[in-house]
Every structure is written in C-alpha cells, then in structure tokens.
Amino acid sequence: TRQDVVVAEDLFLSRYQLNLLAERLILAVEDFHRREPLARGLAREELREKVMARSPSEVFRAALAEAERAGRLVGEKELIRAATHRIELSAEEAAFRDELEAIFRRAGLEALTVDDALGRARVVERAQEQRARRLVKLLLDAGVLVQLNDGLIVHRDAVCDLLARLQVHKQRCGPTISVPAFKELAGVSRKYAIPLLEYLDRQAVTRREGDLRRLLL
C-alpha cells in the first residue's frame, strides 16, 4: 500500500526496511556510547561507514531522519548521539578534568598540545592517558578550551583577554597591528603568535593585509 512505501529523496523503500535501518543506526550509536561514555556522540560519516557503507546516501539520511523523528537519536552538527545519552563524570574524573583545565588556564596564550598538558599532569599510564584525552575533548566540545590548529590549544579565558587587549589597541593605535606589535601585546613569541593570528583570521577577528592584520572586532 502507499503507506508501506517511503520516498527517500529520489529512491523508494518499504516502511519495514526504513524502520529496520533506523534501528540498526540506533543500536550502533548506543553501542558506541557504551564503549565511549565520555564522548558526546559518533561522527555522522563514521556511523554511515559502520552501518550503511554500501547503501546510497539518500537511504542513510532517510533512516537517520526516521530515528530522529522517533526521538531515539539526536543530531548535533556532525555528531549523532542517543537521545538518552548524558555525560556523567565520577568524582575522580571531574577532579582530573578540573586539573587539566587549570593546566591550560595557567599556560595563558602559550598554547599547549594535549601531550604537553599530559606531561604537566604527570600522566604516565596508558589508561589514564586515554581518559585524559577524552576529558580534553570534553573541554573542547564545551568551549572551555579553544583549538588554534590541529595541535595547539588555549583556554577560552586567555582568548577573551586577548580580544579585550586588541580592542584597546584599536582604540589607541588604530585598526591595524603588525606581527611584532601583536607579539608584544600578547606577551608571546612568534611560535605562539602566528597560530593565534591564524586562528583570529579564521574567526574574522583579524584580516591579513600584507605584513599587517586589520582588526575587525
């Protein structure tokens, strides 16, 4: 009957098939949460590869939409999570998260890699390292930490303080700043200044104009 047929963009499949595929997606996400309880969710493309790699993308999107309509899965940008999933930290994990946050906060604008932070936290055991990396990811997802590039991370408070200083510079010295002046204003070496400036360019806070940066904030 017409009710038994679903249109997935330009494709047709039965309601039974759609429900079956949606259930497979739900089970895969729930299994992921059991294995990675500190992760917000599973990447959309990774979910497709795990469950429906051989299916047309239209069918995957239709099955995912069905699971979301049923209130079983939730899409958050490029992540998919179970609707019931909540990240709950033990007292030990919460304390470890706070310790890692404090390490990045103390570093200021001298950005750290995850390995730098683990070294300062004296993480040596493999299990503790894996947990620490997941906790850093949690802090990044929450916006507490800011990723400058693939390796370097700073605390958001340091970025907010930098933006305030750039506003003062704009008021006092005009709408452009050189790299040497930026280094002095930020109190960092070129090693950190360039990744910071490139991050600010991507955030449309600055725009590169020759050897200068125009302040857009």
Side-chain angles (χ1 to χ4, degrees), residues 6-36:
V6 178
V7 180
E9 299 177 34
D10 294 329
L11 301 177
F12 296 87
L13 65 159
S14 71
R15 169 64 61 182
Y16 172 80
Q17 287 176 310
L18 182 65
N19 290 341
L20 188 63
L21 291 170
E23 191 63 31
R24 288 175 60 193
L25 293 176
I26 292 164
L27 291 174
V29 173
E30 290 175 344
D31 179 64
F32 173 78
H33 287 318
R34 281 191 290 272
R35 290 183 287 104
E36 298 287 349

Side-chain angles (χ1 to χ4, degrees), residues 36-124:
E36 298 287 349
L38 297 183
R40 280 178 54 211
L42 182 60
R44 192 180 299 264
E45 282 305 307
E46 186 177 347
L47 176 60
R48 183 187 170 196
E49 286 297 315
K50 280 178 173 291
V51 181
M52 299 178 61
R54 297 183 181 180
S55 299
S57 57
E58 298 93 330
V59 176
F60 169 71
R61 288 194 290 269
L64 183 56
E66 182 64 23
E68 291 178 317
R69 273 195 297 270
R72 304 280 301 282
L73 295 181
V74 175
E76 296 178 341
K77 296 184 180 179
E78 292 306 310
L79 293 179
I80 305 297
R81 66 169 175 85
T84 56
H85 179 62
R86 300 290 183 274
I87 297 174
E88 297 181 1
L89 301 180
S90 67
E92 180 185 358
E93 288 169 336
F96 195 11
R97 175 203 58 197
D98 293 346
E99 179 185 357
L100 290 167
E101 181 188 348
I103 286 169
F104 282 100
R105 189 191 298 275
R106 287 193 295 270
L109 291 173
E110 294 189 348
L112 302 176
T113 66
V114 177
D115 286 341
D116 292 335
L118 299 192
R120 296 187 185 191
R122 295 183 174 84
V123 172
V124 292

Side-chain angles (χ1 to χ4, degrees), residues 157-206:
D157 288 354
V159 175
C160 289
D161 178 66
L162 175 61
L163 295 179
R165 281 186 265 171
L166 286 171
Q167 286 179 323
V168 172
H169 174 91
K170 184 176 182 180
Q171 292 167 359
R172 293 179 177 175
C173 306
T176 60
I177 189 168
S178 66
V179 173
F182 179 83
K183 286 166 52 182
E184 183 177 351
L185 179 142
V188 296
S189 67
R190 187 178 180 85
K191 172 184 175 181
Y192 303 107
I194 297 305
L196 282 165
L197 283 168
E198 290 173 347
Y199 167 79
L200 295 174
D201 290 345
R202 292 194 299 273
Q203 299 301 309
V205 173
T206 57

